[in-house]
Amino acid sequence: MSSPLRIAVLASGRGSNLQALIAARDAGTLPVEFVLVGSDKASAGALDLAQAAGIPRLALNPKAYPSRRDFDLDLFARIEATGAELLVLAGYMRILDGEALHPWVGRMINIHPSLLPKYRGLHTHRRALEAGDLEHGASVHYVTAELDGGPVIAQARIGIEAGDHEDLLAQRLLAYEHRLLPAVVRLIAASRLAYAAPDGVALDGERLSAPLELRGDELRR
Ligand code: GRF
């Protein structure tokens, strides 16, 4: 058997997507080794989850650095030093410096709570509701220098229901995020997925014409 994929996770908040990855690993359905959980917030719940799971933790304070680039260069150098093969942004709320992230393009993914390219940035649930959208969703994409703009690997879609409000919609979507992110990492761990520069994704060596779709716990073309 090949060795598990070495992954690092960055998170700024509660870390429920991190927990979903840990749970999948624990269930034996995700062959990964967590080499680091990092955060820009010392109080992030994700760091507590990492501690409970025995994963090395790193909290760096952006205010201790003269610039965004200096912070990101130090952060990425520390991640690189762990031997991480994949970097997963799971609720990491800082914009990344384009030059600092460049060596990680193709090895870094992000989960974003919208059907990209719709609603890059913040308040995605509110914006979907205000637009009167009939459906909403989450996307996992390769990270490039363009905020929430890298090629989309896979999406989970849900219908917007009468009575949905911002928090409820976010909560309903989160349950799908928790299946979407492990499913994508599973494909990467199986060496089935690759970044096809500059704006594509390849599955089993074939360029995708559209993002994969989550059905149950599986990703389908
Ligand atoms: C998720 O909605 C994710 O899509 C977004 O930030 C949130 C993080 O939640 N990028 P959690 O910290 O994983 O619970």
Side-chain angles (χ1 to χ4, degrees), residues 136-151:
H136 187 42
S139 305
V140 175
H141 65 94
Y142 282 109
V143 175
T144 63
E146 199 183 343
L147 177 69
D148 300 326

PDB file of all heavy atoms in Angstrom, residues 136-151:
ATOM      1  N   HIS A 136     -28.321  26.804  -3.959  1.00  0.00           N
ATOM      2  CA  HIS A 136     -27.107  27.327  -3.334  1.00  0.00           C
ATOM      3  C   HIS A 136     -26.150  26.138  -3.261  1.00  0.00           C
ATOM      4  O   HIS A 136     -26.500  25.020  -3.665  1.00  0.00           O
ATOM      5  CB  HIS A 136     -27.487  27.857  -1.942  1.00  0.00           C
ATOM      6  CG  HIS A 136     -26.396  28.577  -1.215  1.00  0.00           C
ATOM      7  ND1 HIS A 136     -25.546  29.470  -1.824  1.00  0.00           N
ATOM      8  CD2 HIS A 136     -26.044  28.553   0.106  1.00  0.00           C
ATOM      9  CE1 HIS A 136     -24.714  29.953  -0.896  1.00  0.00           C
ATOM     10  NE2 HIS A 136     -24.993  29.415   0.270  1.00  0.00           N
ATOM     11  N   GLY A 137     -24.960  26.375  -2.760  1.00  0.00           N
ATOM     12  CA  GLY A 137     -24.058  25.237  -2.686  1.00  0.00           C
ATOM     13  C   GLY A 137     -22.697  25.618  -2.181  1.00  0.00           C
ATOM     14  O   GLY A 137     -22.465  26.734  -1.707  1.00  0.00           O
ATOM     15  N   ALA A 138     -21.800  24.652  -2.278  1.00  0.00           N
ATOM     16  CA  ALA A 138     -20.426  24.840  -1.841  1.00  0.00           C
ATOM     17  C   ALA A 138     -19.505  24.319  -2.927  1.00  0.00           C
ATOM     18  O   ALA A 138     -19.873  23.418  -3.690  1.00  0.00           O
ATOM     19  CB  ALA A 138     -20.174  24.080  -0.538  1.00  0.00           C
ATOM     20  N   SER A 139     -18.321  24.891  -2.987  1.00  0.00           N
ATOM     21  CA  SER A 139     -17.335  24.515  -4.005  1.00  0.00           C
ATOM     22  C   SER A 139     -16.000  24.230  -3.341  1.00  0.00           C
ATOM     23  O   SER A 139     -15.618  24.907  -2.389  1.00  0.00           O
ATOM     24  CB  SER A 139     -17.121  25.671  -4.999  1.00  0.00           C
ATOM     25  OG  SER A 139     -18.335  26.097  -5.578  1.00  0.00           O
ATOM     26  N   VAL A 140     -15.279  23.267  -3.881  1.00  0.00           N
ATOM     27  CA  VAL A 140     -13.875  23.079  -3.519  1.00  0.00           C
ATOM     28  C   VAL A 140     -13.068  23.383  -4.775  1.00  0.00           C
ATOM     29  O   VAL A 140     -13.371  22.859  -5.853  1.00  0.00           O
ATOM     30  CB  VAL A 140     -13.585  21.656  -3.013  1.00  0.00           C
ATOM     31  CG1 VAL A 140     -12.088  21.471  -2.766  1.00  0.00           C
ATOM     32  CG2 VAL A 140     -14.364  21.376  -1.733  1.00  0.00           C
ATOM     33  N   HIS A 141     -12.087  24.263  -4.625  1.00  0.00           N
ATOM     34  CA  HIS A 141     -11.311  24.689  -5.794  1.00  0.00           C
ATOM     35  C   HIS A 141      -9.827  24.737  -5.474  1.00  0.00           C
ATOM     36  O   HIS A 141      -9.432  24.871  -4.315  1.00  0.00           O
ATOM     37  CB  HIS A 141     -11.800  26.060  -6.278  1.00  0.00           C
ATOM     38  CG  HIS A 141     -11.580  27.178  -5.293  1.00  0.00           C
ATOM     39  ND1 HIS A 141     -10.467  27.983  -5.314  1.00  0.00           N
ATOM     40  CD2 HIS A 141     -12.321  27.608  -4.237  1.00  0.00           C
ATOM     41  CE1 HIS A 141     -10.538  28.866  -4.338  1.00  0.00           C
ATOM     42  NE2 HIS A 141     -11.640  28.658  -3.652  1.00  0.00           N
ATOM     43  N   TYR A 142      -9.032  24.625  -6.524  1.00  0.00           N
ATOM     44  CA  TYR A 142      -7.598  24.881  -6.371  1.00  0.00           C
ATOM     45  C   TYR A 142      -7.407  26.366  -6.113  1.00  0.00           C
ATOM     46  O   TYR A 142      -8.097  27.197  -6.709  1.00  0.00           O
ATOM     47  CB  TYR A 142      -6.841  24.460  -7.640  1.00  0.00           C
ATOM     48  CG  TYR A 142      -6.626  22.973  -7.752  1.00  0.00           C
ATOM     49  CD1 TYR A 142      -7.307  22.214  -8.695  1.00  0.00           C
ATOM     50  CD2 TYR A 142      -5.738  22.319  -6.903  1.00  0.00           C
ATOM     51  CE1 TYR A 142      -7.105  20.839  -8.799  1.00  0.00           C
ATOM     52  CE2 TYR A 142      -5.529  20.947  -6.996  1.00  0.00           C
ATOM     53  CZ  TYR A 142      -6.213  20.221  -7.941  1.00  0.00           C
ATOM     54  OH  TYR A 142      -6.009  18.864  -8.036  1.00  0.00           O
ATOM     55  N   VAL A 143      -6.477  26.687  -5.242  1.00  0.00           N
ATOM     56  CA  VAL A 143      -6.244  28.087  -4.897  1.00  0.00           C
ATOM     57  C   VAL A 143      -5.211  28.684  -5.851  1.00  0.00           C
ATOM     58  O   VAL A 143      -4.133  28.117  -6.046  1.00  0.00           O
ATOM     59  CB  VAL A 143      -5.753  28.214  -3.441  1.00  0.00           C
ATOM     60  CG1 VAL A 143      -5.404  29.660  -3.115  1.00  0.00           C
ATOM     61  CG2 VAL A 143      -6.823  27.690  -2.485  1.00  0.00           C
ATOM     62  N   THR A 144      -5.600  29.811  -6.434  1.00  0.00           N
ATOM     63  CA  THR A 144      -4.670  30.617  -7.226  1.00  0.00           C
ATOM     64  C   THR A 144      -4.657  32.016  -6.611  1.00  0.00           C
ATOM     65  O   THR A 144      -5.336  32.276  -5.618  1.00  0.00           O
ATOM     66  CB  THR A 144      -5.127  30.696  -8.696  1.00  0.00           C
ATOM     67  OG1 THR A 144      -6.396  31.353  -8.737  1.00  0.00           O
ATOM     68  CG2 THR A 144      -5.226  29.316  -9.331  1.00  0.00           C
ATOM     69  N   ALA A 145      -3.911  32.912  -7.238  1.00  0.00           N
ATOM     70  CA  ALA A 145      -3.771  34.252  -6.663  1.00  0.00           C
ATOM     71  C   ALA A 145      -5.087  35.031  -6.696  1.00  0.00           C
ATOM     72  O   ALA A 145      -5.249  36.010  -5.971  1.00  0.00           O
ATOM     73  CB  ALA A 145      -2.680  35.018  -7.395  1.00  0.00           C
ATOM     74  N   GLU A 146      -6.032  34.587  -7.514  1.00  0.00           N
ATOM     75  CA  GLU A 146      -7.313  35.280  -7.605  1.00  0.00           C
ATOM     76  C   GLU A 146      -8.252  34.791  -6.498  1.00  0.00           C
ATOM     77  O   GLU A 146      -8.524  33.587  -6.412  1.00  0.00           O
ATOM     78  CB  GLU A 146      -7.932  34.975  -8.973  1.00  0.00           C
ATOM     79  CG  GLU A 146      -9.000  35.928  -9.392  1.00  0.00           C
ATOM     80  CD  GLU A 146      -9.607  35.520 -10.734  1.00  0.00           C
ATOM     81  OE1 GLU A 146      -8.973  34.712 -11.449  1.00  0.00           O
ATOM     82  OE2 GLU A 146     -10.706  35.980 -11.031  1.00  0.00           O
ATOM     83  N   LEU A 147      -8.749  35.676  -5.663  1.00  0.00           N
ATOM     84  CA  LEU A 147      -9.553  35.279  -4.501  1.00  0.00           C
ATOM     85  C   LEU A 147     -10.772  34.454  -4.927  1.00  0.00           C
ATOM     86  O   LEU A 147     -11.594  34.912  -5.717  1.00  0.00           O
ATOM     87  CB  LEU A 147     -10.024  36.530  -3.734  1.00  0.00           C
ATOM     88  CG  LEU A 147     -10.926  36.260  -2.530  1.00  0.00           C
ATOM     89  CD1 LEU A 147     -10.150  35.583  -1.411  1.00  0.00           C
ATOM     90  CD2 LEU A 147     -11.587  37.533  -2.036  1.00  0.00           C
ATOM     91  N   ASP A 148     -10.873  33.239  -4.383  1.00  0.00           N
ATOM     92  CA  ASP A 148     -11.976  32.318  -4.695  1.00  0.00           C
ATOM     93  C   ASP A 148     -12.132  32.124  -6.206  1.00  0.00           C
ATOM     94  O   ASP A 148     -13.235  31.854  -6.690  1.00  0.00           O
ATOM     95  CB  ASP A 148     -13.298  32.802  -4.078  1.00  0.00           C
ATOM     96  CG  ASP A 148     -13.231  32.919  -2.566  1.00  0.00           C
ATOM     97  OD1 ASP A 148     -12.530  32.105  -1.940  1.00  0.00           O
ATOM     98  OD2 ASP A 148     -13.871  33.832  -2.001  1.00  0.00           O
ATOM     99  N   GLY A 149     -11.019  32.265  -6.936  1.00  0.00           N
ATOM    100  CA  GLY A 149     -11.102  32.269  -8.392  1.00  0.00           C
ATOM    101  C   GLY A 149     -10.426  31.102  -9.089  1.00  0.00           C
ATOM    102  O   GLY A 149     -10.490  30.996 -10.306  1.00  0.00           O
ATOM    103  N   GLY A 150      -9.776  30.211  -8.355  1.00  0.00           N
ATOM    104  CA  GLY A 150      -9.064  29.094  -8.989  1.00  0.00           C
ATOM    105  C   GLY A 150     -10.044  28.064  -9.531  1.00  0.00           C
ATOM    106  O   GLY A 150     -11.235  28.085  -9.225  1.00  0.00           O
ATOM    107  N   PRO A 151      -9.555  27.136 -10.357  1.00  0.00           N
ATOM    108  CA  PRO A 151     -10.437  26.161 -10.995  1.00  0.00           C
ATOM    109  C   PRO A 151     -11.210  25.311  -9.979  1.00  0.00           C
ATOM    110  O   PRO A 151     -10.638  24.807  -9.018  1.00  0.00           O
ATOM    111  CB  PRO A 151      -9.499  25.303 -11.836  1.00  0.00           C
ATOM    112  CG  PRO A 151      -8.126  25.650 -11.431  1.00  0.00           C
ATOM    113  CD  PRO A 151      -8.155  26.988 -10.784  1.00  0.00           C
TER     114      PRO A 151
END
